[in-house]
Amino acid sequence: GCCAGTSVFAGVVLLVLMKFYVHYEGDPAFTLIVKDAEDPTSGGGAVRVVATDSTVQDVLNVFLSEYATRYAPAWKAQLPHASLVDENKRTIPPTSRARAKIQDKMDVFVVLHPNTTGATTSTTTHHAENKAPTQSHASSTPVNASSSSRPSSSASSSSSKPQQQDIDSTTATQLRLIQGHLDEAVAAASVGAFQRAAQLFQSVLVSIPTAPLPLIRLGDIYISAGRPEKAVGYLTTLTEHHGSSMEGWILLGHACSQTGNHARAAQAYKAALELASKNPSYDPNLTEQVKVFLAKALYKQGDQDTAIQVLTIVLQANEECPQALLEYGIALEDRGKLLEALRIYLKVLITRGDNRTVREYLAALVQRPGVLAMLEKELLASSSTSSSAQVVAPALAFLATFIKDFGAIQQSRHLYTLALEMRPDSVSYCLNLVHVHELFLDYKSAMGVIASFLKRNPSTSVGPYITCDQVYRTLYPDSSPPPQPSMHTSSYTLSEEDLDLLAIIFTLCKILYLQGSNISELTQLMGLIEPTRKGRELHLTSIRNEHAYYCCVSQLTECTTPPLTPPSQAQEAGTSTHIPSSKDNDEGKDKGKDKGKGKGSQKSSEPAAGDQGALEDLSSQAARLGLRDGDLYVVGDSHCLAAAWRPLQMHGTQHVLTPRLVTGLKIWHLRKESTFFPKANFECAMDTLPDGASVVFLFGEIDCREGFLLAVEKCKYDTLEEAMSRTIAIYEEVLQALVARKKLRIFVHPVPPVLNETRHIVKAFNAMLRKSIEAIPSLRWLDFFDAMLTPDGMLLRDEYKLDG
């Protein structure tokens, strides 16, 4: 993430600091934003400050105390027993340091345990659209597709008991059973078990078809799951039998908008506004936001003039209304007024920086011709003082981070480059710029950024362990004695900057391996790193991903012989051994290997000519041995590293597998509507492949590990098989398009069955994937999945174990 600091948009201070969100999804729902103690403006509203050394229990106590003050006075006498869980519903150890377990922008959830006091628990869904409502009172937060809070209404009270008119004909035994199902459903939804909650709510409707609470919650669940057709059915029944439910009408409007029926959505929002006009107790903030929903529906329906009139009325009453400003900005963008739209998006970003929608629209806008230059001018114009770098650089980095998430990787690279030029000592900016270069597979520029940073900041170090100068001299040896590993113990606590610098060095090792560097020299660099790792749980820190790659590369260098030839043979052959500088003109290691390095490749600030290293590239070794490098590729997530640079015989000819790494890609990310940056990374990787190449595709492990079960749990699909089938259809479509466009010869690798916990899912997915791929003549299935398992089919064979 970005370093702490301030930036300025049109004279307004924007803080770029660590913060995270603590949610309680009971009734009333509430979100508390927790910020660093260093933030001078923290406090007030639904924002609280914790010390940097606070434990998870400290954070929980702060939340419970705040909730007690606002909604549950009974809790003040004795706080209830509760715990914090992450998005995967795993309990976060209460005695752990909060910063070690909770990352920047992370969402965590409060779960009350049985026999606690306070407000009655109700069910709400956690919408991904906006993970941190900033209203100061839960009942004033609007019911919409971007809120995790719900207003009170006649159909959604704090009690889960069925209404009397619905239960006159039921027996006492049935009532006890129904109440038990409602209580269990509410509890399941409060911890994100939406599939179970939906089943229980549906069982209640069998006995009481018009019960309002199940109808509202089922509609809410299926809106969140992206299945609005099902939501419309439940919410139509609700509004027909409980027409005074403002929440029901609002949710019906959201569901109809998702289906594209904007005319009916507008009617639903008008019905909600009519209820509000007759009931002065409704919160005016809620009424304001429903007007924005109405304007949005009218605009998409085609009645843009009326929509803009509604937005104007809202903004005349409250010129800071972020929802209205956002919709007004969209209208300006549609009319070609890009600078005005940009300014409005930036204004909304200041007040609602965590809002997913404004980030998405801003990322899309900066990809339009000329807008990035407008953005740069706006930022630079906001500060003309001598300390402008200290003010503007964090803003550039903040924007670069989130526009990257929505696929604006070219623009992100530009902004990070500017930020690092302003702050050449920033470890964080260097790390993030290197990672963006990786998305383009532009390893030459990434190496240039790292080498330049190491040379400019020789004394910067990872605690007392390893300095930039030591790493630089390992890469570019001179006449001085080689750097020696530190002898310090692990008692030193690494700071966030220490961790970021260590992440840069970890990433350097990964890039060297991906480029096919000499194993012995890579091992020398790892020797400097190892003392820093000893006794540390780096997999629990903010650099866990970089550390995981380092461990993978480290194990590959330790548990196998060098892929092609030992270093001694390489030296005897007289091969040139240096890291290419800009004078190499992409020859040597890049020749015939990485032509067209991806979209928008940049020339990096490489070390000066004459800075010699001893990192021989394996592509040169392959050429000497007669192996045909560059016409057989393995494209995949981290699992492709194990196959990288291995010799392979195919149809009597020796080849070497050239890696194309696409970090963190789920097959799900490749769907047409996705803008998530791993998809852009994948597209860059495809651009580096020569037409007609033979390519092994190795994806799907992340889908099996964390995609399918979570999607079913969130009710996006009814069954695991349905989720798998949809994902395979996306995979097929993408691969067949590549065959048509680039004439690739595609081989589909089975998903590796590496984890005991998900092996049953991998086996089921591979069975479906094999059947599907074998039915497509242009694709080839690599049929060796069973050989990866023990004879009983239960475990991964020992010789293939690398993870962990």
Side-chain angles (χ1 to χ4, degrees), residues 81-396:
H81 180 44
S83 58
L84 286 181
V85 300
D86 61 18
E87 288 184 318
N88 295 319
K89 310 310 169 189
R90 293 189 294 258
T91 300
I92 305 173
T95 58
S96 299
R97 184 167 170 259
R99 287 182 69 90
K101 296 293 184 181
I102 305 175
Q103 307 302 320
D104 188 32
K105 307 296 192 297
M106 186 172 172
D107 296 270
V108 295
F109 303 85
V110 175
V111 177
L112 298 184
H113 298 299
N115 301 322
T116 60
T117 60
T120 304
T121 304
S122 182
T123 178
T124 59
T125 59
H126 174 67
H127 293 286
E129 179 75 10
N130 180 357
K131 295 184 177 180
T134 56
Q135 300 291 338
S136 61
H137 195 285
S139 65
S140 66
T141 305
V143 181
N144 59 64
S146 61
S147 171
S148 60
S149 304
R150 295 284 171 256
S152 59
S153 71
S154 62
S156 179
S157 66
S158 61
S159 173
S160 59
K161 295 180 180 179
Q163 292 188 359
Q164 185 62 43
Q165 62 266 31
D166 297 313
I167 61 176
D168 287 339
S169 62
T170 59
T171 66
T173 300
Q174 287 176 313
L175 282 178
R176 285 194 294 271
L177 180 62
I178 291 169
Q179 187 61 53
H181 284 178
L182 283 174
D183 292 342
E184 188 179 348
V186 165
S190 70
V191 295
F194 296 118
Q195 184 188 42
R196 178 60 179 159
Q199 292 168 347
L200 290 164
F201 283 133
Q202 288 162 350
S203 72
V204 172
L205 292 180
V206 171
S207 300
I208 310 177
T210 62
L213 181 64
L215 290 170
I216 279 186
R217 294 302 151 229
L218 286 167
D220 195 7
I221 286 171
Y222 286 113
I223 288 172
S224 298
R227 301 172 70 181
E229 294 82 2
K230 295 198 71 167
V232 167
Y234 290 116
L235 295 168
T236 298
T237 300
L238 174 73
T239 52
E240 287 175 350
H241 292 85
H242 306 280
S244 62
S245 169
M246 187 174 184
E247 181 180 9
W249 286 112
I250 295 172
L251 288 174
L252 179 59
H254 294 338
C256 291
S257 291
Q258 282 191 14
T259 65
N261 189 346
H262 301 296
R264 188 179 178 192
Q267 293 173 353
Y269 294 136
K270 288 177 181 177
L273 288 172
E274 184 177 354
L275 285 173
S277 67
K278 297 176 180 178
N279 189 341
S281 66
Y282 280 123
D283 181 39
N285 291 327
L286 176 60
T287 303
E288 173 185 86
Q289 294 189 37
V290 177
K291 289 179 181 178
V292 176
F293 300 148
L294 173 60
K296 186 174 181 178
L298 291 170
Y299 193 89
K300 291 186 175 181
Q301 182 185 341
D303 191 357
Q304 296 186 1
D305 291 340
T306 303
I308 292 174
Q309 289 175 8
V310 174
L311 291 174
T312 302
I313 292 172
V314 172
L315 290 171
Q316 285 175 343
N318 178 11
E319 63 181 13
E320 300 298 326
C321 176
Q323 295 84 0
L325 284 170
L326 179 60
E327 297 304 322
Y328 200 80
I330 293 170
L332 289 171
E333 186 178 349
D334 288 344
R335 285 155 178 75
K337 298 181 178 181
L338 303 186
L339 179 58
E340 291 88 340
L342 175 65
R343 287 171 173 167
I344 284 183
Y345 291 160
L346 290 175
K347 183 175 183 179
V348 176
L349 189 68
I350 293 168
T351 58
R352 299 292 294 274
D354 58 308
N355 183 280
R356 177 183 174 87
T357 302
V358 68
R359 291 184 173 204
E360 185 173 12
Y361 275 99
L362 186 54
L365 180 60
V366 298
Q367 294 179 71
R368 297 183 65 166
V371 176
L372 186 62
M374 295 179 192
L375 175 61
E376 185 178 339
K377 184 177 180 181
E378 287 290 302
L379 295 176
L380 294 175
S382 66
S383 178
S384 59
T385 66
S386 58
S387 61
S388 61
Q390 303 298 319
V391 175
V392 177
L396 292 169

Side-chain angles (χ1 to χ4, degrees), residues 631-691:
D631 59 358
L632 180 59
Y633 298 82
V634 55
V635 180
D637 55 30
S638 60
H639 294 87
C640 78
L641 290 183
W645 306 119
R646 307 298 173 183
L648 181 70
Q649 188 170 9
M650 186 169 66
H651 301 303
T653 304
Q654 288 285 340
H655 302 265
V656 62
L657 281 161
T658 303
R660 289 292 184 266
L661 174 64
V662 185
T663 293
L665 182 80
K666 295 179 184 177
I667 296 172
W668 174 248
H669 295 150
L670 297 177
R671 68 196 188 280
K672 289 182 179 179
E673 63 270 25
S674 173
T675 60
F676 195 33
F677 72 88
K679 180 181 179 181
N681 187 187
F682 177 85
E683 291 169 347
C684 289
M686 295 304 97
D687 287 344
T688 70
L689 298 174
D691 290 354

Side-chain angles (χ1 to χ4, degrees), residues 41 61 105 200 274 280 367 381 402 429 490 546 582 634 794:
T41 66
N61 290 341
K105 307 296 192 297
L200 290 164
E274 184 177 354
Q367 294 179 71
F402 79 73
Y429 300 168
S490 60
E546 291 89 350
S582 57
V634 55
M794 298 300 294

